[in-house]
Amino acid sequence: MTTGALEHVPQHNTAIVDRGVLQTTEVIARVVRIQEIMKALMREGTHFGTIPGTPKPTLYKPGAELLLMTFRIAASPSNIEDLSTPDEVRYRVTVRGTKQATGDVVGEMVGECSSSETKYRWVKPVCDQEWEETDPSMRREKWFKGGGTPYKAKQIRSSPADVANTILKMAVKRGLIALTLVSLGASDIFAQDLEDLTEELRESIATEDAPKEPAKQPQRRSQAGNGGT
């Protein structure tokens, strides 16, 4: 038995709600702007560099700063972790990006650096006498490439305190570049950190990224001959 009263049926709003998603035209415009900046203002060797054998250029700190300025993004360390030990200086830095106009956070990325990395851990001795006076556990001889002919060079351990400021700045730089690539969606245009790797690691990456030659298809017997049947 009905009461004659109409039940209220909730109406679902089918309107599209804007969640802050960029329109396709805005995404395209951003990519085009990055390419325009790269072509008009960026110089290879200063703002970016190309590691031989790698598929895309590596973004440098000046290039990252230029892109952040273009899109009015302010970057600053939001957290610095000192992970150092008596034998190692090590920092992990979180870099935050905010819109200069509104203060809205666009992203955070982490950069880390350690004095145990090869290029900071070992230095060339001033002279043979310094090498001889250095504790054997604090020195080594390493092979290098030079003009195609390998050679061995003497190295001694650096003092972690001497490179502490450099380590901190490098951690900030790595976080800054990572923030730039992620916040601007530029990872398909630029690589990161390849210039910080040792020559051996760069060559290994270049070899892995080198385009592979397509496999040759086996010839049919009719094609392998000299035109005979």
Side-chain angles (χ1 to χ4, degrees):
M1 178 177 175
T2 60
T3 61
L6 296 177
E7 294 182 0
H8 175 70
V9 178
Q11 300 295 319
H12 297 286
N13 186 2
T14 58
I16 298 177
V17 179
D18 182 7
R19 300 295 185 186
V21 178
L22 293 176
Q23 298 294 327
T24 303
T25 53
E26 293 181 73
V27 176
I28 295 174
R30 177 173 292 186
V31 173
V32 170
R33 178 59 60 86
I34 293 175
Q35 293 173 337
E36 289 176 346
I37 293 298
M38 186 176 179
K39 182 178 180 180
L41 299 176
M42 289 187 172
R43 298 191 303 275
E44 186 168 7
T46 299
H47 299 95
F48 67 91
T50 302
I51 308 299
T54 55
K56 51 188 175 182
T58 297
L59 183 63
Y60 294 164
K61 183 172 181 285
E65 292 171 340
L66 183 60
L67 289 175
L68 292 176
M69 180 185 68
T70 299
F71 291 94
R72 297 183 180 180
I73 296 176
S76 60
S78 62
N79 187 43
I80 299 177
E81 297 178 71
D82 187 347
L83 307 175
S84 303
T85 66
D87 189 50
E88 176 192 29
V89 172
R90 181 182 172 197
Y91 290 107
R92 181 182 296 150
V93 179
T94 302
V95 179
R96 175 180 298 169
T98 56
K99 293 182 180 180
Q100 293 179 346
T102 64
D104 294 338
V105 177
V106 298
E108 285 187 340
M109 292 300 291
V110 175
E112 187 171 326
C113 190
S114 166
S115 62
S116 291
E117 295 178 30
T118 298
K119 66 178 181 178
Y120 302 118
R121 187 178 180 88
W122 298 97
V123 297
K124 182 180 178 180
V126 175
C127 58
D128 288 339
Q129 185 177 356
E130 183 182 23
W131 161 266
E132 295 295 338
E133 294 176 353
T134 301
D135 187 283
S137 64
M138 302 288 287
R139 67 188 188 189
R140 71 174 187 177
E141 291 185 273
K142 178 177 171 57
W143 284 98
F144 292 92
K145 290 183 178 180
T149 303
Y151 65 96
K152 185 178 288 187
K154 296 177 180 178
Q155 294 182 325
I156 60 175
R157 279 286 307 276
S158 63
S159 170
D162 291 340
V163 294
N165 189 54
T166 300
I167 298 302
L168 178 57
K169 288 183 177 179
M170 183 60 67
V172 173
K173 188 205 81 166
R174 291 173 177 175
L176 176 74
I177 295 177
L179 170 71
T180 304
L181 295 176
V182 172
S183 62
L184 299 181
S187 295
D188 60 337
I189 301 175
F190 296 104
Q192 178 191 5
D193 285 348
L194 294 186
E195 83 274 17
D196 294 334
L197 301 179
T198 62
E199 182 179 353
E200 293 83 1
L201 288 175
R202 288 202 304 266
E203 290 182 355
S204 176
I205 293 175
T207 301
E208 292 177 357
D209 291 340
K212 305 296 188 299
E213 294 184 2
K216 295 182 179 180
Q217 297 296 327
Q219 291 182 323
R220 297 178 180 177
R221 290 188 177 182
S222 59
Q223 296 175 331
N226 294 323
T229 57

